């Protein structure tokens, strides 16, 4: 139970006090009425004695009574009606609410922190009123009148006669059988005569005389002169007298919620100034009968006849309306009680109560106890006093009490008033009233036995109840509290006597006693046991107290507390106590909230919402319903629909209260703010026939961090080129679409007159569809004047003038059950300034279905659309995006800080040009190496001219706009037969197989020294594109060499002619997807020709072998490939002629066929070689047909140069030589250079394709870059072979020294040797036995450095096989030659070979050693792997 103001030791004595009746004459009542009080009310604040009182018990022992209080009330002859009592209790509870601003206790139990009000004043008020309004009954005497005050005024004509009349009237009421009410304790009631004297108006001497006469007649102990009204009721009086009555008398009505204290002696019986009820003193219906006031005919708790005959006060219908309450309040506010009384009068009244109690009441009680004691002794024949017998009764063996079930239902048994069993009960009650609990317990115990023996169950239950209370209150606690007595009494009252009022009193007292002993569990069980269907109010209050028991236990039972609070709230609600119901539910909510009890939470929130709405606490109602909707509800669809409609209904009422107020925040649908995306610019145009718009950026594209990084790098690349290789410090990559992955720390820039699209991600958590209507963005705009003044114009409603910002409105947006859906909302800025997008505004509604809740139907004529709209409310939701968590500095790492996210705060800048790019005849599929011509259309759709148009791509080898000079670029595709994309010249048949020479500079094709081949300027006419203008340019494409799907990114860069401070440039993106299929594979090798003669006598011819394989699998319908031309391009070399194709003119390759070509290559002429420095390349074309493709023109040269530049960019394998001598490294480099060659082969082909029964001719080119003599080169990228898996080796490998010697291949290329001799030699051996043959050894230095050469002729072939085959011969003359060859010098040595007989001989035996002149180390150049030099010696 909750904490109480009074302890149980104070509560019980205050609840059972001696009752005194008051009977006043009319004149006496008039005197008290001057103070707006009845006589009984006048005494109320002074009814507690301020000092201890002494009396003697029957054993003549002195007994002390502390804090004695008496209850004085006017005589009322009608018993109170149960319905009226119920109404009174209902009003008492509803009138007592928690104080505003009351600080609640915080109880921590486990992981719960609960704010709980420690006290429950409404329960204490209820209990007090309940105990005081209990009707007197025959089986107990605690609230029977012990005495009667007869009050007359000194102003009466015959006061003594008036006293006689009053005395007779009291006697008549007590002893006449017409009056069964009120009840009197004993027939001989104490009469106490009080003379009221009005000091300000009466004659004091007369009063004293009358008082003397009274003392003569009634004795000094039986009368009193009470002087009151020492001043007239004058408001202007200076002295401010306190008003002690206000805490006892309610100022206006029961339902007035203003403060009234629950003091220790609060008497609330008079809290009913209700118009239905008569006031407690009955003054409102004074009717004189026989000259006496008949003010005791009706009980104040009598219901008016017009009232509800069912007396169901628990129903909500009886709660007074606010207006009538207000009127009552207004009428009663000005009343001041005790206006004619001074502080002296207060003391006189206090003194009067003391005198009455000391001299009248207590002696009377003492005498009565003695009389009853004597009667009992004589009846029992026991020893003189009960006291001495007590031990005998209790020390012996106890008679076991029969269980309730065994006892007969004889609760109807009634004892006559003089029955001895009742006398002992009377004595017990008297002892209890004067706090003599030991004696009271003895008497109750005796009475209990007697009643149980007689099976008078009602009497027995009463005796058990009071015996248990007496035992508890006994000083010194000689015995434990007999809780089983109470349990038996409660069960008897409830089940046998069917008297719930008495059972309730038992429970209230017992629970309070158990609580004081910290037996909360037993108290809770007791309270819960008395909850029943007959009274919702009682059940609610007891359940609430049970809940407090659970929370106040040693280890608090939090969930039990919450559950019983919910039950209490439900019963309060049924009893019409809406505020208390709401409070209970709110307190229980603390336990269930956020613990996953979603259905319980929904129920509580729904009830809180309903109760709050009933109490017109609309904000609370909205908040509660909002919670039901925003939690992940597990309710059924129908239930969710009901919740939603209820919410909308309440919300509508709230919004109608303040129609001009700010828009409320709506809870549905959920908005995932961080997923909000902002797009700046127009939507992409769809493809139109052969015209395809650039893909650019759109909201339909998924974010890809890799591609995003690629675009960023492309933009940085082009910006660096524009700014002469340096990226400006203020550069930030252009972002057209902002999302949660982009960098949103800066204010984004938007261009005036270009739309801003905001994509908002909605999610409907409910199982019912939501319909949003009139959905649009909410924004604030701050225009910037060029005059420098800022005039902030805040527009928060779409209805405003749209001349600044145009706003798109979506009329209907349906989100199905549990669906996530995005809405794209647009703004059209028409002015420069700062824009802040705040959120979205919309009408939230449901689709009108078959279900309606609480009769709320569709609003007539509110909506016309695709869906039938149910109820809807207008509101907003803000878009608040949390920025990224900062993690740079130490402070940021140790704390949680978030950066800004400004994607919704764009700055609107001045006009900028806007480019649109369209691709015409752009292919989606190509053969590898295929050349195709397409057109690109550039359109300026803005009002500003644009310039500096460039395109940048990571794959520049894929496309070209042609060379820098008009001559190199073919005019149009119709310039030659078959609409070839190449520039061609018809040739005559004589020049077949001989190279046609032309040359071109790579600078013309954008591949200059130090240039960026990826950044390509677009050749706009006049370099400017005017507003609205469009230009079409040809674009050649070449299929990538690898088959598969290729994504090729183009980034178009352009600037405004007029420089803008905020936006320097703009970009447009395009991603082309090309699918390539296999065509030809080309492999080529180059080797030195052994023939040293050419037309100029210089060594250095080479042979080029080209293998071409058709790898096409005919998927693309390719019939065959024709090799139409093979061209070379090099600074130093050129193809001269074809070696092996004289007889086979047409080079056709069907599927999977391979062709082999051999060409002779020679060094370029001196004049051509002289132009090397200016990046000039010599092109040589060998034609296999009657049409020459000019390979030095676009597009052939473009793609050649692009493939060359991409090849040059690849990292070359460097030889790492771990040696300390740099000289050896240099030597090796020089030796390596001998084997290097820079010859590039271009194979041009045509493919014949059958498509849709039409024959098409495709054309293309492949490139092979030859770098090293003898090393095979390929036109297609080689896949790296992955090494096979090896076993792990668990030992440390030895360090193997890297050889610094050049490889055999490299050395063999340093000096080229060639033997010149006759193939056969005839010699007459019979004439001359020795045959001498002259042989010339040609030594050619292939390197650029001087070489020292040693020729050693002493070398003999040691292998026996060689001897057998070739035989032996001898060189004559000098056996070793030492020579020095200059750079690329050719030297001839004249040698003589000597043979002794005929045969075939190998002359290739000389060993040649070489070293660079400035080096020490000698390398042998091995010629052993070269072809044998065979000579035949014939005999003639």
């Amino acid at each position: 139970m909750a904490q109480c103001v009074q302890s149980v030791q104070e509560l019980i004595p205050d609840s059972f006090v001696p009752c005194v009746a008051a009977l006043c004459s009319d004149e006496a009542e008039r005197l008290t009425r001057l103070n707006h009080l009845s006589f009984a009310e006048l005494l109320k604040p002074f009814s507690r004695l301020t000092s201890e009182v002494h009396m003697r018990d029957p054993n003549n022992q002195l007994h002390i009574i502390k804090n004695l209080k008496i209850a004085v009330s006017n005589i009322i002859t009608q018993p109170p009606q149960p319905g009226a009592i119920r109404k009174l209790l209902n009003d008492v509870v509803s009138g007592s609410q928690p104080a505003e601003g009351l600080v609640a206790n915080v109880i921590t139990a486990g992981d719960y922190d609960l704010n709980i009000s420690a006290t429950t004043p409404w329960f204490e008020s209820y209990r007090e009123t309940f105990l005081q309004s209990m009707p007197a009954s025959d089986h107990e005497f605690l609230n029977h009148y012990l005495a009667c005050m007869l009050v007359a005024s000194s102003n009466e004509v015959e006061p003594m006669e008036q006293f006689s009349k009053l005395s007779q009237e009291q006697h008549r009421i007590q002893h006449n059988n017409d009056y069964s009410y009120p009840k009197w304790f004993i027939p001989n009631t104490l009469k106490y005569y009080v003379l009221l004297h009005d000091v300000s108006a009466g004659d004091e001497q007369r009063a004293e005389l009358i008082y003397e006469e009274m003392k003569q007649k009634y004795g000094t102990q039986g009368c009193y002169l009470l002087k009151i009204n020492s001043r007239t009721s004058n408001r202007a009086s200076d002295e401010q007298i306190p008003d002690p009555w206000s805490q006892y008398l309610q100022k206006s009505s029961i339902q007035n919620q203003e403060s009234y204290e629950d003091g220790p002696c609060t008497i609330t019986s008079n809290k009913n100034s209700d118009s239905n009820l008569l006031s407690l003193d009955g003054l409102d219906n004074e009717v004189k009968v026989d000259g006496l006031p008949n003010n005791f005919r009706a009980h104040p708790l009598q219901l008016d006849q017009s009232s509800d005959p069912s007396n169901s006060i628990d129903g909500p219908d009886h709660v007074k309306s606010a207006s009538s309450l207000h009127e009552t309040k207004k009428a009663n506010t000005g009343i001041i009680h005790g206006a004619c009384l001074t502080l002296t009068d207060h003391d006189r009244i206090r003194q009067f109560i003391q005198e009455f109690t000391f001299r009248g009441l207590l002696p009377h009680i003492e005498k009565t106890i003695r009389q009853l004691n004597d009667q009992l002794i004589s009846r029992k024949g026991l020893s003189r006093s009960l006291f001495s017998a007590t031990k005998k009764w209790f020390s012996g063996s106890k008679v076991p009490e029969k269980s309730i079930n065994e006892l007969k239902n004889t609760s109807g048994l009634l004892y006559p008033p003089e029955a001895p069993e009742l006398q002992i009960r009377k004595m017990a009650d008297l002892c209890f009233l004067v706090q003599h609990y030991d004696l009271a317990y003895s008497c109750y115990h005796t009475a209990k036995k007697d009643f149980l023996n007689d099976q008078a169950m009602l009497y027995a239950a009463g005796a058990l109840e009071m015996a248990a209370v007496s035992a508890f209150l006994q000083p010194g606690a000689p015995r434990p509290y007999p809780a089983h007595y109470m349990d038996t009494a409660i069960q008897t009252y409830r089940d046998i006597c069917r008297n719930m009022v008495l059972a309730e009193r038992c429970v209230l007292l017992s629970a309070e006693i158990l609580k004081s002993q910290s037996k909360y569990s037993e108290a809770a069980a007791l309270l819960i046991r008395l909850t029943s269907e007959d009274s919702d109010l009682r059940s609610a209050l007891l359940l609430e107290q049970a809940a407090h028991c659970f929370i106040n236990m040693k280890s608090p039972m939090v969930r039990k507390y919450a559950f019983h609070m919910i039950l209490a709230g439900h019963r309060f609600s049924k009893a019409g106590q809406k505020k208390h119901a709401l409070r209970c539910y709110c307190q229980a909510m603390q336990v269930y909230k956020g613990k996953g009890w979603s259905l319980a939470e929904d129920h509580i929130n729904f009830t809180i919402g309903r109760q709050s709405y009933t109490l017109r606490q609309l904000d609370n109602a909205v908040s509660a319903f909002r919670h039901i909707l925003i939690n992940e509800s597990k309710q059924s669809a129908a239930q969710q629909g009901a919740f939603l409609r209820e919410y909308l209904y309440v919300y509508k009422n709230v919004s109608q209260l303040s129609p001009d107020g700010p828009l409320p925040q709506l809870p549905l649908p959920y908005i995932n703010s961080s997923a909000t995306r902002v797009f700046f610019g127009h939507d992409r145009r769809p493809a139109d026939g052969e015209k395809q718009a650039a893909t650019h950026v759109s909201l339909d594209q998924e974010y890809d961090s890799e591609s995003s990084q690629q675009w960023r790098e492309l933009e940085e690349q082009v910006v660096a080129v524009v700014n002469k290789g340096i990226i400006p410090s203020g550069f930030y990559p252009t972002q057209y679409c902002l999302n949660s992955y982009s960098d949103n720390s800066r204010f984004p820039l938007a261009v005036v007159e270009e739309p801003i699209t905001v994509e908002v991600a909605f999610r409907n958590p409910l199982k019912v569809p939501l319909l949003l209507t009139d959905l649009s963005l909410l924004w604030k705009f701050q225009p910037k004047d060029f005059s420098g003044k800022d005039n902030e114009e805040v527009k928060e409603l779409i209805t405003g003038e749209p001349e600044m910002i145009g706003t798109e409105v979506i009329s209907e947006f349906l989100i199905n059950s549990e669906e996530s859906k995005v809405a794209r909302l647009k703004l059209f800025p028409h002015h420069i300034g700062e824009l802040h997008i705040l959120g979205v505004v919309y009408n939230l509604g449901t689709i009108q279905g078959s279900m309606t809740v609480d009769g709320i139907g569709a609003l007539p004529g509110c909506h016309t659309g695709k869906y039938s709209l149910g109820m809807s409310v207008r509101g907003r939701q803000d878009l608040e995006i949390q920025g990224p968590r900062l993690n740079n500095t130490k402070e940021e790492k140790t704390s949680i800080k978030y950066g800004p996210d400004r994607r919704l705060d764009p700055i609107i800048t001045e006009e900028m040009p806007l480019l649109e790019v369209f691709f015409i005849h752009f292919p989606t599929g190509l053969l590898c190496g295929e050349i195709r011509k397409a057109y690109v259309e550039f359109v300026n759709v803005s009002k500003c001219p644009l310039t500096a148009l460039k395109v940048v791509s990571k794959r520049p080898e894929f496309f070209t706009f042609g060379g820098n000079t008009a001559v190199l670029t073919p005019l149009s595709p119709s310039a030659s037969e078959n609409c070839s994309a190449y520039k061609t010249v018809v040739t005559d048949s004589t020049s077949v197989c001989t190279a046609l020479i032309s040359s071109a500079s790579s600078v013309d094709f954008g591949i200059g020294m130090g240039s960026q081949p990826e950044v390509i300027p677009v050749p706009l006419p006049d370099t400017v594109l005017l507003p609205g203008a469009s230009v079409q340019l040809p674009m050649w494409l070449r299929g990538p060499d690898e088959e598969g799907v290729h994504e090729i990114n183009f980034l178009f860069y352009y600037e405004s002619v007029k420089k803008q401070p905020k936006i320097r440039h703009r970009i447009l993106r395009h991603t082309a997807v090309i699918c390539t299929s296999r065509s030809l594979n080309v492999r080529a090798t180059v080797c030195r020709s052994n023939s040293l003669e050419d037309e100029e006598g210089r060594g250095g011819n080479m042979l080029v072998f080209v293998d071409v394989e058709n790898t096409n699998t005919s998927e693309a319908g390719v019939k065959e490939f024709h090799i139409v031309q093979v061209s070379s391009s090099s600074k130093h070399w050129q193809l001269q002629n074809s070696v092996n194709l004289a007889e086979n003119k047409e080079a056709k390759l069907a599927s999977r066929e391979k062709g082999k070509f051999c060409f002779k290559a020679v060094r370029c002429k001196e004049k051509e070689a002289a132009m090397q420095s200016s990046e000039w390349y010599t092109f040589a074309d060998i034609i296999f047909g009657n049409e020459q493709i000019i390979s030095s023109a676009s597009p052939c040269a473009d793609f050649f140069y692009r493939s060359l530049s991409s090849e040059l960019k690849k990292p070359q394998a460097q030889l790492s030589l771990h040696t300390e001598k740099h000289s050896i490294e240099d030597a090796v480099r020089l030796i390596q250079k001998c084997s290097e060659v820079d010859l590039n082969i271009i194979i041009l082909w045509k493919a014949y394709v059958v498509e849709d029964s039409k024959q098409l001719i495709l054309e293309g080119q492949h490139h092979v870059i030859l770098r090293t003599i003898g090393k095979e080169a390929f036109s297609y990228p080689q896949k790296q072979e992955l090494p096979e898996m090896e076993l792990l080796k668990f030992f440390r490998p030895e360090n193997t020294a890297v050889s610094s010697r050049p490889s055999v291949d490299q050395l063999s290329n340093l000096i080229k040797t060639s033997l010149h001799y006759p193939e056969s030699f005839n010699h007459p051996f019979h004439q001359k036995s020795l045959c001498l043959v002259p042989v010339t050894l040609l030594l050619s230095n292939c390197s650029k450095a001087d070489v020292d050469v040693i020729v050693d002729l002493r070398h003999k072939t040691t292998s026996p096989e060689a001897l057998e085959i070739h035989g032996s011969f001898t060189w004559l003359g000098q056996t070793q030659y030492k020579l020095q060859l200059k750079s690329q010098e050719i030297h001839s040595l004249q040698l003589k070979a000597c043979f002794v007989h005929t045969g075939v001989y190998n002359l290739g035996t000389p060993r040649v050693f070489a070293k660079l002149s400035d080096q020490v180390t000698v390398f042998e150049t091995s010629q052993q792997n070269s072809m044998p030099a065979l000579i035949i010696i014939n005999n003639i």
Side-chain angles (χ1 to χ4, degrees), residues 499-629:
N499 190 329
M500 292 302 287
V501 175
L502 291 168
E504 185 177 351
R505 183 181 71 184
C506 271
V507 165
L508 293 174
L509 295 175
S510 183
E512 202 60 50
I513 291 167
L514 289 168
K515 182 189 91 173
S516 71
Q517 297 177 334
S518 296
K519 294 181 177 174
Y520 288 108
S521 183
E522 293 88 337
L526 197 64
L527 292 162
I528 293 166
R529 210 164 71 201
L530 204 70
T531 56
S532 61
E533 289 303 314
D534 63 322
S535 169
D536 287 315
L537 182 65
R538 179 186 72 234
S539 300
L541 288 159
L542 296 184
L543 283 165
E544 185 181 12
Q545 292 308 307
H548 279 282
C549 286
F550 288 124
I551 203 72
N552 286 322
M553 284 181 176
K554 200 170 183 182
S555 53
M557 303 173 79
V558 182
R559 289 198 295 276
K560 274 200 178 228
Y561 160 79
F563 181 65
H564 286 86
M565 270 305 209
I566 295 287
L567 295 176
H570 176 63
R571 297 305 286 271
F572 271 130
S573 180
K574 285 176 73 177
Q577 300 281 352
K578 302 293 182 192
K579 286 187 179 177
H580 286 296
L582 180 59
R583 179 183 48 73
C584 286
Y585 273 102
C586 289
Q587 295 220 326
M589 188 60 183
Q590 297 177 79
V591 175
Y592 289 107
K593 196 173 187 177
K595 291 284 187 283
W597 300 64
S598 61
L599 296 177
E601 266 191 83
D602 288 352
H603 168 76
I604 297 168
N605 273 317
F606 185 69
T607 312
I608 289 174
R610 275 270 173 101
Q611 300 288 13
S612 301
Y613 180 70
T614 312
L615 293 167
R616 307 308 291 165
Q617 297 176 9
L618 297 179
D619 289 343
N620 287 354
V622 164
S623 171
F625 282 123
R626 181 189 180 96
H627 275 292
I628 307 178
L629 296 173

Side-chain angles (χ1 to χ4, degrees), residues 999-1019:
S999 61
S1001 167
S1002 61
V1003 179
D1004 290 339
F1005 294 93
I1007 317 291
M1009 293 292 285
S1011 69
Q1012 284 267 14
E1014 289 94 346
V1015 179
I1016 299 160
V1018 177

